[in-house]
Amino acid sequence: MVFSSLSFLLYFFPIVLFLYFIRKDIKWRNGVLLVASLFFYAWGEPIWIVAMLASTVVNYFAARQIVREKNKKKRRMWMILGVGISAAFLFVFKYAAFIVNSTLGLISPSLKIPVLELPIGISFYTFQVITYTVDVYLKKQKAQKRFSRLLLYVSCFPQLIAGPIVQYNDVATQLSKRTSTPDKFSEGMQRFIIGLGKKVIFANICGAALTKMPLAGGEAAMSVLGAWYAAFLYTLQIYFDFSGYSCMAIGLGKIFGFDYKENFDHPYASFSVREFWRRWHISLGSFFRDYVYIPLGGNRKGLKRTVINTLVVWSLTGFWHGANWTFLVWGAYYGIILTIDLLGGRKITNALPKPVNWLITMVLVMISWVIFYYPTLGQAFSHIGAMFGIGVSAIDDISIQIIKTYSVFPLIAFIASLPVTTWLKKLSFVKNETVLSNALKLIYLTACLILSVFFLVGQSYNPFIYFQF
């Protein structure tokens, strides 16, 4: 089940809302959310709920043992056991076949083991349960006495499938005590509608246009113009797809009394790759910073160690996204760019005009999304080569036709990806709460909801890109 589906909007969500708010008792509300979350997760493939339950059970008991033990070595042993078993689940389902097949491929291309079906959202809930056990070990948080509350933290449906990654420290108190006020409910509904519009209107239409473009490995020949336009479409699609989901998740969280941190902050308004990654998938960056980069020493042990730590983090970031060479190269690509930045590139870019830095950043980001998009490195490099005129013509008829058909919409989508609301709030009639500003907001939200539902009725293209992770 996905948020941008009629079954969720017309049945699941209204029923859960009704049951949740008929009583104010936190036990009742937690119970409703827990049952709803398990049902939500089991909607597609019920069998994979076992993996999530097993990971949660292991870490629940590991954390309890960590608290009981006084011996440092035994406390560490229980932490490693909890984290290790959860990581092992992730490794077996997501990476084992890739590593084994890559090794067997050196012997014979025909030697392969079957790839296991990936439990949906396993990367997200694995990282979440790891933050819980590590925080208990580091004495940042107390061990959760009630298993049902820990399971609710891991399985809570707003952020279960595709994030944002919610660290236990951020919601520990809210699991036992939270408020759902009319203002919070209203804000949550607004965020949900905006996120729905991002996904259904912008991401889906850009994605539908992309499927019609000549792409690497396809029958139709690519051109320089087509290669750049396809990269532009995917750049927009992946942003609105994932930020739309995160926006809906944050909105749903507010409705039920949870305060999830922002996951996107207009990344396409960045003036450097470094800034881009402070604005993109913030929760993933925070996880690797807090649980990998800083424990490795961060930037506290000299430039050489900082470079090594940066490359390690970005190798893991690429690998986290999937067991594929394209993801590994994608992570290495950003690791190299940020290493160059550390080694003096920052001094050069700081001397350039801001518009030039913005353009360089967008080009680098678009190239990275091409690597991210394709299943093979050959296709990705072929597309990147086409972007720079290697072995292709300047234009092609199919791309011209698609550009004519979708000419205005991607431009509107791109403008919408920028911090337009921040700029508008500087205007006097929007800055203050006035009848006009409230009326404009109501019109915008109503139109967004109606258009989203309208598109959902007729759309066949409605995937969530990050569900595969």
Side-chain angles (χ1 to χ4, degrees):
M1 189 185 301
V2 298
F3 297 158
S4 58
S5 65
L6 294 177
S7 57
F8 179 87
L9 294 172
L10 300 180
Y11 303 106
F12 180 84
F13 186 37
I15 291 171
V16 173
L17 273 183
F18 172 75
L19 293 174
Y20 184 86
F21 284 106
I22 58 174
R23 289 176 60 178
K24 294 184 178 180
D25 179 23
I26 191 66
K27 290 182 180 179
W28 168 264
R29 291 185 169 184
N30 280 351
V32 169
L33 273 186
L34 180 56
V35 172
S37 297
L38 295 177
F39 177 83
F40 180 86
Y41 188 79
W43 179 264
E45 289 290 342
I47 186 62
W48 296 130
I49 203 170
V50 176
M52 182 177 67
L53 287 171
S55 186
T56 308
V57 167
V58 167
N59 283 273
Y60 172 76
F61 285 108
R64 297 297 298 273
Q65 288 299 121
I66 289 170
V67 172
R68 291 191 183 103
E69 289 290 350
K70 302 300 179 185
N71 184 284
K72 289 184 179 180
K73 289 184 178 180
K74 288 184 178 180
R75 293 181 75 252
R76 185 178 178 131
M77 180 197 72
W78 282 108
M79 184 273 290
I80 293 173
L81 181 67
V83 171
I85 290 177
S86 291
F89 283 144
L90 180 62
F91 176 83
V92 168
F93 282 108
K94 196 167 184 176
Y95 305 111
F98 169 74
I99 293 174
V100 172
N101 288 336
S102 296
T103 305
L104 291 175
L106 298 175
I107 303 171
S108 171
S110 61
L111 292 175
K112 286 185 179 181
I113 64 171
V115 177
L116 295 175
E117 183 180 348
L118 186 66
I120 194 167
I122 188 172
S123 298
F124 290 92
Y125 71 68
T126 297
F127 273 23
Q128 290 194 180
V129 79
I130 285 175
T131 72
Y132 165 70
T133 304
V134 173
D135 283 353
V136 171
Y137 172 74
L138 296 175
K139 298 183 179 180
K140 292 181 179 180
Q141 284 293 333
K142 296 179 180 179
Q144 180 57 253
K145 294 180 180 179
R146 297 186 180 181
F147 175 75
S148 60
R149 286 181 181 171
L150 181 62
L151 184 57
L152 175 60
Y153 158 66
V154 175
S155 67
C156 196
F157 77 85
Q159 44 74 46
L160 169 62
I161 304 300
I165 298 168
V166 179
Q167 295 186 20
Y168 183 74
N169 191 50
D170 294 333
V171 295
T173 303
Q174 297 169 37
L175 291 168
S176 58
K177 186 180 180 181
R178 62 183 182 274
T179 56
S180 299
T181 64
D183 286 344
K184 210 169 186 179
F185 184 91
S186 175
E187 183 184 355
M189 288 299 294
Q190 290 177 44
R191 290 297 302 272
F192 181 83
I193 292 171
I194 291 170
L196 183 67
K198 281 184 174 183
K199 164 59 186 167
V200 175
I201 301 173
F202 288 122
N204 283 6
I205 293 179
C206 287
L210 179 62
T211 61
K212 300 175 183 178
M213 291 290 295
L215 297 171
E219 294 180 3
M222 296 184 72
S223 66
V224 175
L225 176 65
W228 279 102
Y229 193 68
F232 179 60
L233 287 174
Y234 188 65
T235 296
L236 293 174
Q237 183 196 8
I238 195 169
Y239 168 70
F240 284 110
D241 182 279
F242 195 23
S243 72
Y245 189 98
S246 294
C247 197
M248 285 188 277
I250 291 168
L252 288 170
K254 284 192 178 296
I255 290 169
F256 297 117
F258 291 99
D259 291 309
Y260 299 147
K261 291 182 178 179
E262 294 297 330
N263 207 25
F264 288 86
D265 182 19
H266 304 99
Y268 295 156
S270 302
F271 294 99
S272 68
V273 171
R274 184 177 68 259
E275 182 185 357
F276 172 80
W277 276 104
R278 287 200 300 265
R279 293 169 173 261
W280 179 279
H281 204 345
I282 298 168
S283 64
L284 181 65
S286 297
F287 177 90
F288 278 113
R289 180 196 65 211
D290 295 343
Y291 297 95
V292 179
Y293 184 71
I294 292 176
L296 286 174
N299 59 1
R300 304 186 306 276
K301 297 186 177 181
L303 180 60
K304 183 178 179 181
R305 185 63 178 272
T306 302
V307 168
I308 293 172
N309 293 343
T310 299
L311 292 173
V312 168
V313 165
W314 280 101
S315 297
L316 291 173
T317 301
F319 205 41
W320 176 86
H321 280 87
N324 196 314
W325 288 110
T326 53
F327 294 128
L328 289 173
V329 170
W330 176 83
Y333 171 86
Y334 275 116
I336 292 168
I337 289 175
L338 292 170
T339 297
I340 293 171
D341 181 74
L342 283 170
L343 296 176
R346 193 176 305 182
K347 293 180 181 179
I348 299 172
T349 55
N350 286 344
L352 297 173
K354 274 195 167 184
V356 174
N357 276 328
W358 176 83
L359 184 60
I360 292 171
T361 301
M362 284 303 301
V363 169
L364 291 174
V365 168
M366 287 173 69
I367 290 172
S368 80
W369 289 138
V370 171
I371 300 171
F372 195 88
Y373 175 78
Y374 283 101
T376 69
L377 288 174
Q379 290 172 304
F381 292 149
S382 175
H383 189 126
I384 293 170
M387 292 169 73
F388 295 95
I390 299 176
V392 298
S393 60
I395 60 174
D396 66 276
D397 293 337
I398 297 175
S399 296
I400 290 292
Q401 184 59 45
I402 294 171
I403 290 170
K404 287 180 179 179
T405 304
Y406 293 93
S407 58
V408 177
F409 186 82
L411 179 61
I412 295 172
F414 176 68
I415 293 171
S417 73
L418 302 175
V420 177
T421 53
T422 303
W423 301 335
L424 288 175
K425 285 179 181 178
K426 295 179 180 179
L427 301 175
S428 58
F429 72 92
V430 177
K431 186 175 182 180
N432 302 314
E433 289 289 330
T434 63
V435 174
L436 177 58
S437 66
N438 288 331
L440 289 173
K441 183 189 293 186
L442 179 62
I443 292 170
Y444 167 72
L445 291 170
T446 303
C448 190
L449 180 60
I450 292 173
L451 280 173
S452 296
V453 174
F454 175 78
F455 284 153
L456 280 176
V457 172
Q459 276 183 353
S460 58
Y461 185 89
N462 190 34
F464 265 117
I465 294 173
Y466 265 72
F467 272 21
Q468 64 184 299
F469 309 124

